[in-house]
DNA sequence: GTCTATAGCTTGATAGAC
DNA sequence: GTCTATCAAGCTATAGAC
């Protein structure tokens, strides 16, 4: 009468990660007990410790896992877009990636925010690293377009942060505050408007204007 | 040899709020015990309950208190700026207010984020209400400037969110992720650059451009 | 303010499924 | 036989009772 099914190690490991993401994103690291995680997976606590030596290591594994998943999901899309010299297409793709990153798995964004507030160094570093990586790539593309004479001279890293912040702030509000700002009906139109503002602000004939 | 000084009610109440903000912002609502708060204030737990009937009520009082403090601190500054027809001055003031809101008391921003993640309805509503209020005021000012012929036609609410997001995202990163992005040496220059991008994107001769 | 009890993280020996 | 899961239990820190 056992409903405890024996599972291959890798599969069980991923089941643990999936359950733990949900719990950590809802209650944070401190607020989640190993007992709860075990119960959610449907196993006993020691099973967790056969896959992860400590609760912290499970947490680190989640961040590692989701970080790589994000790279696999969006990395190619971003890299192709970076090559394009069509500014509108590029920033539309970038904006869509940012919105998808937040909304397609809100629990990961929540988990990272929690971890930053709770002071877990790993995830803070991870977020900083990934964030800086994206900033740099976008910045380099803007630099290229300036050198092609398509945009006015400006601080490219700052411009990258400005665009990303514009989109990310709204997306984060949707995920964290359950704001309705990211209504999917208006989303495409809203993204267009933000791109118009941003590209307008970087167009050549803006240079020197006050 | 008692160092427990008897304090007037109002003063004690504010001492409790001050200590509680620090703790709640560091460990969240769930992660903070009334015992810790009492110890930080230097009184016994029952004293807390003479001022606040529950832990939740203390939390609510903090949000109420800081919310009003913010209004007192920035309300007049914002309202004067709103009246100005100089766009650069207005957005510089608005940007400065946003940055100051985050950086002059990082614990409040952290506390609000925690509370949103933990699902406290009060603070989520409070944040939404204050956020929407600011969005609306800025939106109305942009609308006025469009009607004066100083800016191109656009979705004014969205433009307001775009500007606020641009600044707030960077400020939040500084507060939550201890990012160095908001280096005070570059701050004024960075704000200028963001304003240039934003106002450039809203200038009249951008209309219809792709 | 102390004293006790409970809850949380972790481990070692052991049993059962493939 | 090996890998997976369980049981029983230690230690610590936190919370509740007096």
């Amino acid at each position: 009468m056992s409903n405890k099914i024996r599972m291959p190690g890798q599969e069980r490991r991923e089941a643990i990660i999936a359950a733990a993401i949900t719990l950590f994103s809802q209650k944070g690291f401190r607020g989640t007990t190993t007992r709860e995680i075990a119960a959610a997976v449907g196993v006993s606590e020691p099973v967790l410790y056969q896959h992860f030596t400590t609760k912290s290591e499970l947490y680190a594994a989640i961040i590692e896992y989701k970080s790589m998943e994000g790279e696999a999901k969006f990395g190619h899309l971003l890299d192709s877009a970076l090559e394009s010299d069509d500014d509108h297409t590029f920033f539309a793709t970038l904006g869509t990636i940012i919105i998808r990153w937040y909304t397609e798995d809100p629990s990961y964004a929540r988990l990272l925010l929690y971890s930053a507030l709770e002071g877990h160094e790993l995830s803070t570093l991870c977020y900083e690293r990934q964030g800086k990586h994206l900033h740099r790539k976008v910045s380099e593309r803007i630099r290229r377009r300036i050198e092609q004479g398509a945009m006015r001279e400006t601080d490219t890293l700052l411009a990258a942060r400005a665009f990303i912040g514009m989109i990310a702030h709204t997306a984060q509000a949707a995920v964290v505050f359950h704001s309705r700002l990211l209504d999917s009906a208006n989303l495409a139109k809203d993204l267009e408007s933000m791109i118009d503002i941003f590209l307008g602000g970087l167009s050549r004939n803006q240079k020197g204007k006050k």
Side-chain angles (χ1 to χ4, degrees), chain A:
Chain A
M1 62 156 280
S2 171
N3 53 5
K4 314 275 172 69
I5 297 164
R6 185 190 157 94
M7 224 181 242
Q10 189 58 28
E11 194 175 335
R12 178 65 80 200
R13 184 186 162 94
E14 287 179 8
I16 293 172
I17 287 178
I21 287 173
T22 305
L23 287 166
F24 283 138
S25 79
Q26 283 167 0
K27 319 216 277 179
F29 181 77
R30 286 182 189 152
T32 303
T33 66
T34 55
R35 179 171 304 193
E36 283 173 313
I37 298 169
V41 183
V43 298
S44 61
E45 288 175 88
V47 173
L48 304 184
Y49 288 90
Q50 288 169 350
H51 293 272
F52 308 96
T53 60
T54 64
K55 190 183 167 187
S56 289
E57 196 190 284
L58 167 57
Y59 204 59
I62 287 176
I63 291 168
E64 169 80 8
Y65 178 86
K66 296 298 286 185
S67 160
M68 284 175 57
E69 188 188 78
E71 176 63 26
K73 204 168 169 181
F74 300 124
H76 180 65
L77 187 56
L78 179 66
D79 287 337
S80 332
L82 280 164
E83 288 170 14
S84 162
D85 281 338
D86 181 324
D87 292 321
H88 189 275
T89 301
F90 169 68
F91 284 103
T93 304
L94 175 58
T96 304
I97 288 174
I98 295 168
I99 291 169
R100 286 180 61 197
W101 186 87
Y102 276 99
T103 56
E104 286 185 4
D105 185 5
S107 58
Y108 183 47
R110 290 173 54 90
L111 187 148
L112 278 186
L113 261 181
Y114 249 126
S115 86
L117 289 172
E118 289 179 320
H120 296 279
E121 298 202 353
L122 175 71
S123 68
T124 306
L125 289 179
C126 170
Y127 189 95
E128 266 243 327
R129 185 159 44 81
Q130 289 187 252
K132 285 214 169 116
H133 186 231
L134 180 62
H135 287 157
R136 211 188 58 238
K137 281 188 164 180
V138 175
S139 165
E140 282 167 4
R141 187 194 173 281
I142 295 173
R143 166 59 49 203
R144 191 180 78 228
R145 296 289 290 149
I146 290 172
E147 281 164 8
Q148 288 173 356
M151 289 179 173
R152 68 175 173 87
E153 180 63 36
T154 189
D155 180 334
T156 57
L157 193 54
L158 186 126
R161 286 199 277 118
F163 182 80
I164 293 167
M166 225 165 33
I167 313 291
H169 194 72
T170 305
Q172 186 193 282
V175 166
V176 175
F177 295 102
H178 309 102
S179 134
R180 302 274 177 69
L181 295 178
L182 260 185
D183 176 359
S184 57
N186 300 323
L187 197 140
K189 181 178 70 59
D190 286 4
L191 183 52
E192 284 301 312
S193 297
M194 288 199 183
I195 292 169
D196 284 346
I197 292 174
F198 182 74
L199 291 182
L202 288 189
S203 76
R204 293 195 68 194
N205 58 352
Q206 287 305 320
K207 185 164 185 175
K209 282 195 82 159
K210 272 279 171 170

